[in-house]
Amino acid sequence: MIVIADDITGAAEIAGIAFSRGENVRLVCGCGTVTDGTTVIATDTRSMTEPEAVAETKRLSSYLSPLTSHLFKKTDSALRGHVVAELTALMQATGYERAVYLPANPSKGRIIRNGIYYINDVPIHETAFSYDPEFPAKTSVLNERFPDAEAKGIIMPDAESKEDIQRVIATYDDGKTLFAGAADLFEAYIEVRGIRNATLCFAEKRVEVREMTKRQNYSLTSHLSPLTSNNSTLFLCGSTQSKPLDLGIPLAPMPREVYDGSEDLSLWDTSSYAAAHSVILTMPYTHRTGKEAAVHLRTMMATKARQLVAEQCPQHLIIEGGATAWTTLQALGWTSFTITAQFAPGVVQMSATNGTLVTLKPGSYPWGNLFPAV
């Protein structure tokens, strides 16, 4: 199966779901070899301009078009991204006649009722997503947020439960419809279609693999905790949706002058890293918005992270926030990963080709049991 995601934390979330079901899962950034099992291709189209996002989608589509018998498009669960433009380009390139766009995640309190998107019963435009620097939620009505979707063959159904999502899939799963949306849709999609690793031929074997995976995850959680004294950890808090955790390790906040762009990174003091073996990089200000500011901030965070990785060689890199994660991994030149654990929905650990552990988390998701003492 092939999944194309519009940001890297969304890609990791999908990879974690497939991994938890016993799939052989690879995550690649940009383009890579498609292998047996599940290949999740992370892009950064959500952070691009719309023309750039369309061009990248067409490039990937051309590369994958002969291999699209099972194709899923992962999008943000908070309506962010160039949704209509990317789906239109993907349909044109792969031959799908229509698309079902379902960003609802009922398991996380994110539902669509009467065409209106709610987060824990609050319309999305009344939540913190209204302050998103690139895709602020100015309306909660899907037809207003995506006014040209219907004309482009994109269906946006309601969904308030897992059963609703299953009914949507059963209604439109005709081989001519591309499914696009959030994690709950993907999980229901693979359940309904019965997409599993080819070796899992019997129900008993599926149960065995799931139980084995759970045991592995529990073992990894205790063994790879970033809070142990001998585990050097670099933590990037690059999301506007959350605040840094109190983990008992030093914080290194980005100076206001670096944040505003009036000074370079030499002003950012991270000397505590060498003594503590771990550090949390944070952005303590929120007064800048817009595309230019967002690009500047994630570039500063990524550049600083690259310096510290070169100097300190951390065993574990933890990144919160999709745009920050993508920019950082690109700066490091790390593009291919093997999934090793899932600590919570969206909180996924991977092994880079150089052996460094990388844990990613979307900014608006909880940490789960990655930090059991917190």
Side-chain angles (χ1 to χ4, degrees):
M1 184 176 188
I2 302 167
V3 181
I4 300 175
D6 68 354
D7 86 323
I8 194 167
T9 51
E13 179 179 20
I14 293 298
I17 292 171
F19 173 83
S20 70
R21 293 179 174 275
E23 285 281 325
N24 174 33
V25 187
R26 290 180 64 248
L27 187 151
V28 297
C29 298
C31 229
T33 303
V34 177
T35 60
D36 292 338
T38 298
T39 300
V40 184
I41 301 174
T43 73
D44 192 37
T45 54
R46 194 187 305 170
S47 296
M48 297 177 183
T49 66
E50 185 170 297
E52 290 170 341
V54 169
E56 177 64 7
T57 300
K58 288 180 177 179
R59 185 184 73 83
L60 283 177
S61 300
S62 174
Y63 174 77
L64 298 170
S65 56
L67 307 169
T68 54
S69 58
H70 291 309
L71 176 64
F72 185 90
K73 179 70 165 79
K74 169 65 172 70
T75 66
D76 182 46
S77 65
L79 311 183
R80 295 174 295 185
H82 307 289
V83 175
V84 172
E86 289 187 44
L87 288 180
T88 301
L90 197 54
M91 286 189 289
Q92 290 173 347
T94 57
Y96 285 100
E97 295 180 3
R98 61 185 175 184
V100 167
Y101 170 53
L102 190 54
N105 260 348
S107 66
K108 301 177 180 65
R110 301 182 178 194
I111 66 168
I112 302 170
R113 180 191 301 133
N114 297 323
I116 299 173
Y117 195 97
Y118 296 90
I119 298 180
N120 297 323
D121 292 325
V122 178
I124 191 172
H125 76 279
E126 297 178 11
T127 71
F129 287 104
S130 65
Y131 301 106
D132 186 84
E134 295 182 80
F135 296 97
K138 300 302 184 184
T139 178
S140 300
V141 181
L142 264 66
N143 285 333
E144 294 177 358
R145 172 66 181 85
F146 307 106
D148 56 344
E150 184 176 353
K152 298 292 181 63
I154 299 170
I155 302 162
M156 299 184 292
D158 287 353
E160 300 184 49
S161 66
K162 178 179 179 179
E163 291 72 25
D164 288 344
I165 293 176
Q166 290 172 333
R167 281 192 289 270
V168 168
I169 295 171
T171 299
Y172 295 105
D173 190 14
D174 56 2
K176 302 176 182 179
T177 303
L178 171 67
F179 286 92
D184 282 9
L185 176 64
F186 176 75
E187 190 160 18
Y189 178 75
I190 60 176
E191 288 177 357
V192 169
R193 302 200 69 173
I195 299 171
R196 296 290 187 271
N197 191 308
T199 61
L200 306 182
C201 300
F202 305 98
E204 293 82 4
K205 184 64 176 177
R206 289 199 293 268
V207 171
E208 177 185 336
V209 170
R210 289 194 188 102
E211 291 304 314
M212 178 184 69
T213 301
K214 289 180 182 178
R215 291 194 295 272
Q216 289 173 340
N217 285 346
Y218 294 148
S219 174
L220 283 164
T221 301
S222 59
H223 180 64
L224 301 178
S225 171
L227 302 180
T228 57
S229 59
N230 62 347
N231 190 0
S232 174
T233 301
L234 175 58
F235 191 137
L236 311 185
C237 184
S239 171
T240 60
Q241 301 296 321
S242 63
K243 295 181 179 179
L245 299 173
D246 182 7
L247 301 176
I249 59 179
L251 300 179
M254 181 185 293
R256 188 182 181 103
E257 295 85 352
V258 176
Y259 180 92
D260 290 336
S262 60
E263 294 288 346
D264 62 28
L265 284 174
S266 62
L267 195 66
W268 196 345
D269 181 14
T270 55
S271 58
S272 59
Y273 194 170
H277 303 293
S278 296
V279 71
I280 301 176
L281 304 186
T282 69
M283 292 186 293
Y285 310 104
T286 58
H287 60 272
R288 294 190 67 184
T289 59
K291 178 74 173 180
E292 183 179 351
V295 171
H296 168 74
L297 295 176
R298 60 178 174 254
T299 300
M300 291 298 98
M301 183 73 80
T303 305
K304 191 64 178 178
R306 183 178 61 188
Q307 293 176 358
L308 293 176
V309 168
E311 294 169 2
Q312 303 294 337
C313 299
Q315 298 167 279
H316 198 161
L317 177 62
I318 303 174
I319 313 176
E320 184 179 27
T324 298
W326 176 270
T327 307
T328 300
L329 296 178
Q330 291 292 299
L332 292 169
W334 300 352
T335 60
S336 183
F337 305 88
T338 301
I339 308 304
T340 58
Q342 178 180 239
F343 295 100
V347 185
V348 176
Q349 188 173 88
M350 317 179 296
S351 176
T353 52
N354 68 354
T356 303
L357 292 173
V358 179
T359 298
L360 304 182
K361 184 188 85 71
S364 59
Y365 282 24
W367 284 101
N369 62 353
L370 178 60
F371 304 109
V374 176

